[in-house]
Structures are given as structure tokens and as C-alpha cells.
Amino acid sequence: MVTYLPRSAWNARPPNGGPGNLTVSRVEGAVIHWPGTGTTKVIHTQAAVASALRGWQDYHMDTRGWSDIAYQVAVDQAGRAWTLRGLRTQSGANGDNDVNERYGAILLVLVTGEQPSAAMKATTRAVIADFRKLYPRGTAIRPHSAVRPEPTDCPGDPARAAIARGDFTPGHSEDDMTPAQMQELKNFIEARTQAYALWTYRQLRKDLSAVVRTYALDIKNYERQTDAADAARAAAAVWATAPKSLQVDTPPTGEPTAPDPNVDPDPDLPDLDPFPTPPATNGGHPTP
């Protein structure tokens, strides 16, 4: 809910008549303005804002000949909302009578190059929400440069950018991000992640190389041990399935012992002389 400072808070002059109230069915939206001071001297304190509003009212009434200060409501950088003509009264700020009948007018107290503060944007959203309650069809939020018949740079580049981002739209949060901002954040995160990965690699590559070498050596040792164990198991399995007549004592190491020359390896086989004595001959004939 917005608390509007009354006209007495800035010591406003009474209006000289006026155009009367807006017609609800004709209102299309609210137009955002700035004072266009042409300087960078900020207007932040309540006293400074009140003084500036009186000066602009004097200029509009005495120089321009208008009935009052041209805008309906002003919002400053501290988030204060100031009653000027009021939301119900038609403004004189938008350019001509037709545009003034179709749009309200909200003044942002900004100077050249100044960015709207978070407080200013929050209050402006709340003011526009109140405006929409009065004028349900008046949902548009436009910069003055988009509706004025003659060219103008009002309300300045920072405010125009804020309008484009939706910063003054009721329901908008400062935490909300546009698709472009989301992509920018994604690109930033990806770049930082890649940079961190490269930095980590450069810091640890020596250690990583040592780990790789140690790992390779361990694998080779493991394979050698595994191969030796597999060979021993295979030999034991073959020996266990051999005929008992061919088996000899097996030492604990699993290796067979040499056969004993004094033991007949197979007593069931006949003894054969490997080098038999040839028989005697008689004139080339064998002896009977």
C-alpha cells in the first residue's frame, strides 16, 4: 500500500481550475516522465524534492500557463510518493489533449544519467497498481517518448531501460530475470567453470602424473602376481588329475619332486633291459 504525501508536504499552490477527472473507459495506461533538469545534481532529500516540485509547479503555471503542475504523482529515489494533481485528475504532461485523456502521468525525480533506485521502482510499481484499480483497462506502461507527438528524450535512457525490463510493472520482483539476463548469467557461470577447471588442472597436473605412473606400476605388479598365482593353481589342478601311478610326493610349494631311481614307478610293467646282449653266432648262424 502506498502512502502519498499530500500537496501540503511540498507547499503546493492551489490549481487554477483544471481539465477535470479522467474518463475511466478511455484510459489506456500510465506514462513515465522525468523532469529533464539537464544537470547531474541529485534531488534526494525530502526538502530538496519539495523545493523542486514547487519550482516545477511555478514554471508550469506561470510560464506555460497551465492550471497546475502537469503530473499526477511524483516518486523520488527514497521511494516517497508525492501527490501532485492526483491519480483521478487528467494530467497536462503527455503532449496534447488526446494523449492526456488516454494516459496518466507519473514523474520520476531523476537527473541526467541517474538510475532509478530499488525504492523508486518498488513505489512506482505500487502507484501503478493503484492506477490500475481506478482504470482497469489502463494496463500499458510507456515512456513519454513513446506517446508524445513531438520528439522527446523523456524519461531518459535509464528509465526507458527500466520500463523495457518490466521494473515498474506491478508484481515484478527485483529477483526476476529477463531471458537475456538469464543467458548472460549462464554464459558467465560456464566461463567461470571452465576457467576453474583449467586452473585446477594446471595446479594438480604434476600430482596427477605421479598418480598415473603409480597406478600403472601397481597394475603391472598386480598382473604379475595374478599370473604367477594362476600358473601355480593350473599346475596343481593338472597334477591332481594325473594317474596315481604317475604321481609323486608334492611338496608344500606345489612343485613335483624328482622320481626316486630305486623305486619302480610302475610294478605292473615287465622289466626290460634297455641295452640287451646280442646272441652268439656260429659262422653267421645263430647258436641253437
Side-chain angles (χ1 to χ4, degrees):
M1 181 177 179
V2 183
T3 299
Y4 295 88
L5 293 172
R7 286 173 63 93
S8 60
W10 56 281
N11 197 24
R13 293 162 55 182
N16 295 328
N21 291 344
L22 287 168
T23 301
V24 173
S25 61
R26 291 206 61 189
V27 175
E28 299 176 11
V31 169
I32 303 297
H33 296 256
W34 73 333
T37 61
T39 71
T40 57
K41 184 178 180 180
V42 298
I43 308 169
H44 288 178
T45 67
Q46 185 166 343
V49 175
S51 176
L53 291 175
R54 287 194 301 272
W56 297 327
Q57 184 188 41
D58 290 343
Y59 173 72
H60 290 173
M61 295 179 71
D62 299 338
T63 302
R64 291 297 188 94
W66 297 339
S67 63
D68 198 355
I69 190 170
Y71 317 101
Q72 293 177 303
V73 172
V75 180
D76 63 26
Q77 287 281 54
R80 291 179 289 255
W82 302 75
T83 302
L84 305 184
R85 291 192 179 192
L87 291 177
R88 295 183 182 277
T89 303
Q90 179 179 308
S91 85
N94 292 327
D96 61 25
N97 190 61
D98 175 65
V99 180
N100 287 332
E101 288 179 348
R102 292 188 290 117
Y103 292 97
I106 298 172
L107 174 68
L108 304 182
V109 184
L110 295 170
V111 298
T112 302
E114 188 175 15
Q115 294 287 340
S117 67
M120 171 179 278
K121 289 186 283 189
T123 298
T124 303
R125 289 194 295 271
V127 170
I128 291 176
D130 287 348
F131 184 87
R132 289 178 176 180
K133 291 176 183 177
L134 296 174
Y135 311 102
R137 297 176 59 186
T139 57
I141 303 172
R142 310 186 71 179
H144 188 202
S145 56
V147 301
R148 185 181 177 185
E150 298 83 16
T152 179
D153 64 351
C154 179
D157 291 338
R160 269 195 295 272
I163 294 170
R165 289 192 302 267
D167 291 355
F168 301 129
T169 302
H172 175 86
S173 169
E174 289 297 302
D175 295 331
D176 292 343
M177 301 181 72
T178 65
Q181 290 170 327
M182 289 289 289
Q183 185 61 47
E184 182 179 359
L185 178 60
K186 179 182 177 182
N187 293 341
F188 172 78
I189 292 173
E190 289 179 350
R192 288 298 297 268
T193 301
Q194 293 173 2
Y196 178 73
L198 180 60
W199 177 86
T200 301
Y201 169 75
R202 288 174 176 172
Q203 295 296 318
L204 299 180
R205 60 184 175 182
K206 293 182 179 179
D207 292 339
L208 289 174
S209 298
V211 169
V212 169
R213 287 193 299 270
T214 301
Y215 175 77
L217 182 60
D218 288 345
I219 285 293
K220 290 181 179 179
N221 291 335
Y222 174 77
E223 289 175 347
R224 282 196 294 267
Q225 294 171 6
T226 302
D227 291 344
D230 288 344
R233 284 192 294 270
V238 170
W239 204 255
T241 58
K244 293 184 178 181
S245 60
L246 298 178
Q247 292 182 7
V248 296
D249 292 338
T250 302
T253 59
E255 297 179 358
T257 60
D260 188 341
N262 298 318
V263 176
D264 187 354
D266 194 340
D268 296 330
L269 294 178
D271 292 332
L272 297 177
D273 186 352
F275 302 103
T277 302
T281 63
N282 182 12
H285 297 283
T287 302

